[in-house]
């Protein structure tokens, strides 16, 4: 493990600040949530390159697009539900259609937003971003991976990217030697009985589930599919072929997210059943993030039970 | 400030007539597209491309150029005519408007055509983009200006007012926008569809420097553009009172020509009218 448990949004705030120090073309935009998204750290040090647009997500995306047209590299941040929902059409019409080098990094994704409830919990953002041509979609699993993702999308890739981050602390899961590459999944292990394709906070849960299963004589592999688009189809195919049960795990609706992306590919190239763990076509609700994870069945236990049932 | 010379005004009026002819020919060849709103803003766009803006058709991405964002993207034929007559691409391309494989898409596409700063067509988004460019230019210490053309129906979009706040808040005095106030939108008179007046007071209240002009008075357009350049700390909005379908008597003020192309017979009549008007 590379470092201790941190929220991916905190890692983002730090990474952005460091990036801003070494690259003068970085500009950052926020829509009145810079304290929560952690872009405020950059804003404090580089006020001239920081644009708080107020509670106006659509304008923020347009402004970011304009800045990119002058050769700046904009990072635009707010909560996932507002970034991808409120400003979806601006992202489609301007950022994606013109293939602009705009980085959309949203925090507070999924139900682990907690007490704020359904209005603030994006469980459909991956679907909304994934459907857009030219868009790349990345869901880092921990702070260490987040730092690498932020640097990679700035230094190694020109074009629109959506990065999905969370509010709550997540355990550190990625090994020290890990190097993030867009479109490349990380294989913790390939299982003979089952493989769990996971993203975001579900990666650590998948690892826990695999440990439990191992004690019971079930060989379950874990793959961190942090880039959801473009999907690492090579690794996916290998995982599907090597085991009896393929499971996807995501803190997102099972409609349109990682599970869907995996199914879309496999149904054409290697049709096998895909068991999906995620939010089942419903809204979130208020509660602590731990309570909500249990309530919606996003736990290692649920993964274990799902795999056991599927193997029967 | 020196007023624009009479010679310049006469030259620009002649150029505007040329643009109108190309717009009509293009739309007739396409047999679809937006006639009324292309003609209403023709004088404004002529003043920009053939007088005010620093731009180089041989180097469309010249770093120090002034920018033009057509927020009312449906007036694409007008922009295409201005770009073609400026020399950004061959005039012969104009007859491919809206055809499969043409770089002249139904609404402007920056990926297919040189001189288009950004794809537009979905209303309400251009001013935000213009602001972003303006902020970027300021960061780079460039004196280039950003022009943006909005429709009057378009200002019903909420994002326009978000952008209005942003431009004033960040003191983007290198932004100069126009509202092409021709008074009509697809479903009818703007103020019957959704009341938009008082336009001038609204922009003033949002912290903009505002000019209220006749959008077909070439001298007034150029003078307002010149004056806007001297305003510091505030963006400028030029509310241009225009006539939809301007220049062709049988299109003027007719709401049905918002999104209808001329027939070949109408084209013949229209071109004749434009020629006779100049005599």
């Amino acid at each position: 493990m590379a470092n201790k448990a941190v929220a991916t949004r905190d890692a983002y705030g730090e990474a952005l600040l460091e990036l801003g120090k070494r690259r003068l073309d970085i500009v950052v935009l926020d829509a009145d949530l810079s304290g929560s998204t952690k872009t405020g750290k950059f804003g404090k040090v580089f006020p001239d390159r920081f644009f708080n647009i107020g509670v106006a997500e659509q304008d923020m995306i347009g402004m970011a697009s304009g800045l990119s047209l002058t050769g700046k590299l904009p990072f635009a941040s707010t909560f996932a539900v507002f970034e991808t929902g409120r400003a979806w059409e601006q992202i489609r019409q301007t950022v994606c259609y013109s293939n602009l080098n705009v980085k959309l990094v949203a925090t507070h994704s999924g139900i682990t937003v907690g007490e704020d409830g359904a209005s603030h919990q994006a469980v459909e953002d991956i679907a909304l971003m994934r459907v857009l041509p030219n868009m790349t979609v990345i869901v880092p699993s921990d702070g260490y991976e987040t730092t690498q993702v932020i640097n990679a999308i700035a230094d190694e890739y020109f074009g629109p990217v959506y990065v999905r981050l969370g509010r709550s602390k997540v355990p550190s899961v990625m090994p020290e030697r890990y190097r993030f590459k867009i479109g490349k999944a990380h294989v913790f292990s390939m299982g003979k009985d089952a493989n769990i394709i996971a993203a975001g906070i579900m990666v650590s849960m998948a690892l826990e589930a695999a440990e439990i299963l191992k004690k019971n004589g079930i060989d379950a592999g874990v793959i961190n599919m942090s880039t959801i688009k473009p999907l690492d189809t090579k690794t996916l195919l290998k995982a599907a072929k090597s085991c009896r049960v393929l499971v996807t795990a995501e803190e997102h609706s099972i409609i349109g997210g990682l599970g869907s992306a995996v199914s879309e590919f496999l149904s054409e190239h290697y049709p096998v059943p895909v068991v999906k763990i995620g939010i089942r076509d419903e809204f979130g609700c208020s509660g602590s993030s731990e309570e909500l994870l249990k309530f919606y069945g996003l736990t290692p236990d649920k993964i274990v039970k799902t795999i056991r049932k599927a193997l029967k | 400030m020196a007023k624009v010379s009479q010679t310049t005004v006469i030259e620009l009026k002649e150029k505007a007539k040329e643009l109108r002819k190309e717009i009509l020919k293009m739309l007739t060849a396409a047999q679809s597209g937006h006639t009324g709103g292309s003609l209403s803003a023709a004088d404004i766009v002529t003043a920009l491309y053939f007088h005010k803006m620093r731009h180089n058709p041989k180097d469309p991405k010249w770093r120090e150029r002034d920018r033009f964002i057509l927020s009312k993207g449906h007036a694409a034929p007008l922009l295409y005519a201005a770009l073609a007559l400026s020399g950004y691409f061959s005039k012969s391309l104009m007859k491919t408007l809206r055809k499969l494989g043409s770089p002249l898409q139904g609404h402007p596409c920056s990926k297919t055509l040189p001189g288009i700063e950004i794809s537009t067509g979905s209303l309400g988004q251009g001013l935000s983009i213009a602001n972003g460019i303006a902020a970027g230019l300021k960061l780079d210490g460039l004196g280039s200006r950003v022009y943006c053309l909005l429709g009057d129906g378009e200002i019903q979009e909420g994002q326009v007012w978000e952008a209005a706040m942003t431009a004033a808040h960040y003191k983007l005095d290198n932004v100069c926008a126009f509202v092409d106030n021709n008074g009509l939108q697809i479903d009818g008179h703007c103020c019957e569809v959704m009341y938009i007046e008082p336009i001038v007071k609204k922009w003033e209240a949002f912290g903009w420097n505002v000019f209220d002009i006749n959008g077909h008075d070439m001298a007034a357009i150029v003078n307002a553009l010149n004056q806007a350049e001297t305003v510091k700390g505030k963006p400028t909005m030029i509310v241009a009172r225009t006539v939809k379908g301007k220049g062709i008597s049988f299109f003027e003020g007719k709401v049905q020509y918002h999104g209808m192309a001329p027939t070949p017979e109408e084209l013949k009549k229209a071109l004749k009218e434009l020629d006779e008007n100049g005599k």
Side-chain angles (χ1 to χ4, degrees), chain A residues 135-196:
Chain A
M135 183 62 92
T136 291
V137 179
I138 302 170
V139 186
S141 60
D142 67 4
Y144 184 57
E145 186 171 31
T146 300
T147 305
Q148 293 201 34
V149 166
I150 297 306
N151 283 289
I153 62 171
D155 296 336
E156 295 162 22
Y157 184 74
F158 184 100
V161 179
Y162 175 63
V163 181
R164 182 189 213 235
L165 304 177
R167 171 180 179 245
S168 310
K169 281 188 179 171
V170 284
S172 180
V173 291
M174 299 311 286
E176 189 91 51
R177 62 179 160 76
Y178 170 68
R179 291 294 168 264
F180 170 79
K181 215 172 155 262
I182 294 174
K184 184 92 188 77
H186 176 74
V187 181
F188 286 94
S189 60
M190 281 280 178
K192 285 193 188 70
D193 298 314
N195 275 317
I196 311 162

Side-chain angles (χ1 to χ4, degrees), chain B residues 50-266:
Chain B
F50 300 95
H51 180 71
K52 192 70 216 169
M53 279 172 37
R54 288 157 294 188
H55 63 119
N56 181 1
K58 302 241 154 20
D59 185 9
K61 296 277 177 198
W62 176 41
R63 198 165 165 256
E64 291 172 38
R65 71 191 181 280
D66 292 331
R67 271 73 162 177
F68 176 72
I69 307 294
L70 183 67
S71 193
K72 47 173 283 185
H74 55 278
L78 167 59
L79 179 55
Y80 296 154
L83 291 172
L85 295 182
S86 296
Y88 281 87
F89 51 81
S90 160
K91 283 193 216 172
S92 63
L93 269 182
M94 285 194 279
K95 60 179 182 294
T96 69
L97 171 69
R98 289 177 165 246
K99 300 269 194 311
L100 184 65
S102 171
L104 280 67
Q105 292 286 295
H107 292 80
C109 175
S110 59
K111 283 282 138 193
T112 57
L113 201 62
I116 306 284
E117 299 289 350
I118 187 71
S119 306
T120 52
S122 172
L123 295 175
Q125 304 190 16
L127 191 56
S128 301
I129 300 162
N131 288 343
I133 297 173
L137 292 169
K138 276 185 180 276
L139 279 175
D140 288 337
L142 294 172
S144 312
R145 294 179 64 76
V146 188
Y147 297 98
C148 182
L149 178 65
L150 293 96
D152 50 2
E154 183 181 10
I155 64 172
Q156 290 159 358
E157 286 280 5
Q159 189 188 344
V160 169
W161 301 101
E162 296 181 1
M165 275 188 262
T166 300
H169 180 84
Y170 284 103
K171 300 183 170 46
L172 299 175
D173 51 18
N174 50 349
V175 169
C176 179
F178 285 87
V179 171
D180 175 17
N181 182 208
N182 59 37
L184 297 174
Q185 59 190 104
I186 305 181
D187 271 358
H189 291 271
C190 291
C191 284
E192 284 171 17
V193 175
M194 179 52 64
Y195 198 73
I196 55 171
E197 289 288 350
I199 304 177
V200 169
K201 280 190 184 158
K202 281 193 174 87
W203 289 93
E204 279 172 352
F206 274 75
W208 287 55
N209 169 55
V210 186
F211 296 121
D212 189 354
I213 65 163
N214 172 352
H216 302 304
D217 179 342
M218 195 57 85
I221 298 169
V222 175
N223 288 332
L225 284 167
N226 289 343
Q227 247 182 295
E229 261 180 325
T230 67
V231 176
K232 295 292 159 216
K234 273 181 172 193
T236 290
M237 173 55 76
I238 302 174
V239 178
R241 311 292 184 174
T242 57
V243 175
K244 200 144 184 165
K246 176 72 183 177
I248 314 302
S249 60
F250 47 95
F251 290 158
E252 284 187 6
K254 298 249 170 68
V255 75
Q256 63 267 35
Y257 284 100
H258 171 94
M260 206 156 77
T263 63
E265 294 72 40
E266 284 172 329

